[in-house]
Amino acid sequence: TSIFTMGYPMAKLMGSEIKVTDGIISSKTGYEGQISTYQISAPIQPGNSGGPMFDKEGHLVGITSAGIQDADNVGYAIKSSYLYQLMDAAPIDIKDICDKSPRQNNFTEQIKEFAPYIVMILIY
């Protein structure tokens, strides 16, 4: 499955503009065979973790969670099916936002549509 991620990798070096990386789901299991995560080929650097992962139709399929420093183009993302279970348990209704299909079919327009919902969190 083709995917893309959005986030702010290494913002001090790469700037604070949102970045988009694409790749594929390489494996239905993640690090050490974890079933709650995917292995993906999209590079995940510090600053990408916690960012959304979409399929090419613009549906949320995961949240990026980790990369391997010495491995090129190996990252991991938590599967959306596990995220939806957490959202169901949340004290507020946040699922409405995630259930909406993107209004745009064009890849560039999808990115423009999603960008306002993706923020950089800085810890000092």
Side-chain angles (χ1 to χ4, degrees):
T1 300
S2 295
I3 51 94
F4 68 96
T5 66
M6 299 177 73
Y8 299 92
M10 301 188 312
K12 287 185 179 180
L13 297 173
M14 299 172 76
S16 60
E17 183 181 12
I18 198 164
K19 308 295 187 294
V20 177
T21 57
D22 65 344
I24 62 168
I25 294 176
S26 306
S27 175
K28 292 190 286 183
T29 59
Y31 186 73
E32 296 182 341
Q34 290 179 330
I35 62 170
S36 62
T37 58
Y38 293 117
Q39 180 178 321
I40 59 174
S41 67
I44 302 299
Q45 295 97 9
N48 273 110
S49 297
M53 181 177 79
F54 300 100
D55 64 16
K56 293 296 179 172
E57 285 76 43
H59 300 105
L60 181 69
V61 293
I63 298 292
T64 58
S65 58
I68 296 181
Q69 187 173 359
D70 295 331
D72 291 335
N73 300 333
V74 175
Y76 298 98
I78 301 167
K79 296 175 182 178
S80 60
S81 58
Y82 289 88
L83 298 170
Y84 287 131
Q85 291 175 20
L86 291 173
M87 290 166 43
D88 286 341
I92 58 172
D93 187 18
I94 54 178
K95 195 165 183 172
D96 287 346
I97 296 168
C98 298
D99 280 342
K100 294 180 181 175
S101 293
R103 291 174 287 187
Q104 304 295 331
N105 291 328
N106 176 286
F107 184 61
T108 303
E109 294 301 317
Q110 285 179 358
I111 292 167
K112 288 179 186 177
E113 185 177 340
F114 294 136
Y117 300 100
I118 302 162
V119 298
M120 181 181 352
I121 298 173
L122 299 173
I123 300 171
Y124 294 98

